[in-house]
């Protein structure tokens, strides 16, 4: 990446690499010079080793008036190979970061209220479907927090091994609790739907096995099976809801409409990670909106 300061004064800039689950990023600034700067980033490094304490990887670059600088990047990762680069004026970066933080805070605040509300409903009426929903509401935001670098920044900044594995754990737990909630909430019992019930229970067991395996098996060996289970799980829950809606279950009508939005957001995020769709603000946040 070639960067030039076209102004007549010194420029304090940032180069932001906006995908926080990249394993290792080696940054070389003008490596042909004797006093060349180098920097190692990535989620395999402790969070507080970063030059700028931010959930994404931010490289500070100071440019003299008219100076042209070449920045080389070497990226090695077991995650999706996405390296979105954004050059920033430092003041503009911090200004935009306020809006980003407000959006994230709004999302996690809403989810926290939903968790507490449904937990209190479970305690009041004793209906276990609300407890399964609390499990889903807890696992899904934690998965997104891991994917977006929020969990590494605020929850476990030194736990580099767990930071990778937590993505596997929480995504599979979201499928597990989503499946158990669906079975109970829209009454997919063995008496009503023996085949769908067995299929969903089998899916839940596989998701639980993958979540447990993440404590022992490396991320690179589990990420593709996890994405496959997540895709099958989302599709299964949509099928369950449509079948129950056709059977005139009143709860299934609302469940189906809600799940379509959630499923759409998850599919958009998955297609972005497989580079079928471009990576942008919409594709990164579609699941949260859903």
């Amino acid at each position: 990446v070639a960067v030039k300061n076209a102004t007549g004064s010194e420029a304090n800039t940032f180069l932001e690499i906006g995908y926080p689950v990249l394993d290792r990023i080696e940054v070389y600034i003008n490596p042909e010079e004797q006093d060349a700067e180098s920097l190692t980033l990535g989620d395999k490094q402790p969070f507080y080793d970063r030059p700028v304490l931010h959930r994404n990887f931010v490289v500070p670059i100071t440019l003299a008036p008219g100076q042209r600088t070449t920045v080389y990047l070497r990226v090695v990762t077991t995650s999706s190979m996405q390296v979105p680069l954004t050059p920033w004026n430092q003041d503009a970066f911090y200004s935009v970061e306020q809006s980003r933080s407000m959006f994230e805070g709004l999302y996690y605040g809403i989810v926290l209220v939903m968790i507490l509300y449904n937990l209190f409903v479970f305690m009041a009426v004793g209906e276990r479907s609300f407890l399964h929903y609390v499990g889903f509401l807890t696992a899904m935001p934690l998965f997104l927090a891991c994917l977006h670098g929020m969990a590494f920044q605020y929850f476990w900044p030194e736990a580099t091994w767990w930071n990778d594995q937590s993505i596997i754990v929480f995504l599979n737990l979201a499928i597990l609790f989503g499946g158990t909630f669906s079975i109970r909430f829209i009454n997919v019992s063995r008496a009503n739907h023996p085949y769908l019930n067995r299929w969903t229970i089998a899916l839940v067991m596989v998701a639980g096995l993958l979540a447990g395996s993440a404590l022992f098996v490396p991320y690179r060996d589990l990420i593709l099976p996890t994405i496959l289970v997540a895709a099958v799980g989302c599709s299964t829950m949509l099928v369950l809801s449509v079948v129950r809606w056709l059977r005139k279950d009143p709860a299934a009508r609302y469940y189906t409409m809600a799940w379509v939005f959630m499923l759409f957001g998850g599919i958009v995020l998955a297609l972005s990670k497989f580079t079928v769709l471009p990576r942008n603000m919409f594709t990164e946040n579609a699941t949260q909106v859903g």
Side-chain angles (χ1 to χ4, degrees), residues 20-21 43 45-48 50 54-56 104 107-108 138-160 162-168 170 288:
V21 295
D43 70 355
Q45 312 294 319
F47 181 81
Y48 293 118
R50 301 180 183 188
H54 188 268
R55 60 185 175 277
N56 291 331
E104 296 289 348
Y107 168 71
Y108 290 109
T138 303
M140 180 57 77
L142 282 172
F143 160 68
L144 293 172
C146 297
L147 187 66
H148 295 157
M150 304 287 289
F152 193 37
Q153 181 175 3
Y154 294 112
F155 295 158
W156 44 76
E158 302 294 327
T160 55
W162 168 247
N163 188 53
D164 255 358
Q165 305 302 106
S166 60
I167 293 178
I168 303 293
F170 291 125
Q288 287 170 289

Side-chain angles (χ1 to χ4, degrees), residues 183 193-206 232-233 235-237 239-240:
I183 289 174
H193 305 280
Y195 295 111
L196 286 176
N197 178 271
R198 291 191 186 97
W199 171 261
T200 308
I201 289 176
L203 187 68
V204 164
M205 292 176 65
V206 171
V232 173
S235 303
T236 296
M237 285 174 241
V239 169
L240 295 180

Side-chain angles (χ1 to χ4, degrees), residues 50-68:
R50 301 180 183 188
V52 178
L53 298 181
H54 188 268
R55 60 185 175 277
N56 291 331
F57 305 111
V58 181
V59 181
I61 304 173
T62 301
L63 299 171
Q67 180 184 359
R68 180 183 177 88

Side-chain angles (χ1 to χ4, degrees), residues 99-154:
S99 300
R100 291 181 184 174
S101 298
M102 184 176 295
F103 173 81
E104 296 289 348
L106 181 66
Y107 168 71
Y108 290 109
I110 290 172
V111 169
L112 181 59
V113 170
M114 293 173 68
I115 290 171
L116 294 174
Y117 172 79
N118 284 278
L119 189 58
F120 289 143
V121 171
F122 164 71
M123 294 170 63
V125 303
E127 174 54 54
R128 288 192 178 182
S129 60
F130 288 99
L131 190 60
H132 292 285
Y133 189 50
V134 167
F136 174 78
L137 281 174
T138 303
M140 180 57 77
L142 282 172
F143 160 68
L144 293 172
C146 297
L147 187 66
H148 295 157
M150 304 287 289
F152 193 37
Q153 181 175 3
Y154 294 112

Side-chain angles (χ1 to χ4, degrees), residues 4-6 10-11 15 34 46 88 92 96 129 142 147 151 162 188-189 204 213 226 235 254 290:
K4 182 179 180 181
N5 178 10
E10 184 178 80
L15 183 63
Q34 289 186 347
W88 287 99
V96 170
S129 60
L142 282 172
L147 187 66
W162 168 247
V188 183
S189 64
V204 164
S213 299
T226 295
S235 303
Y254 301 104

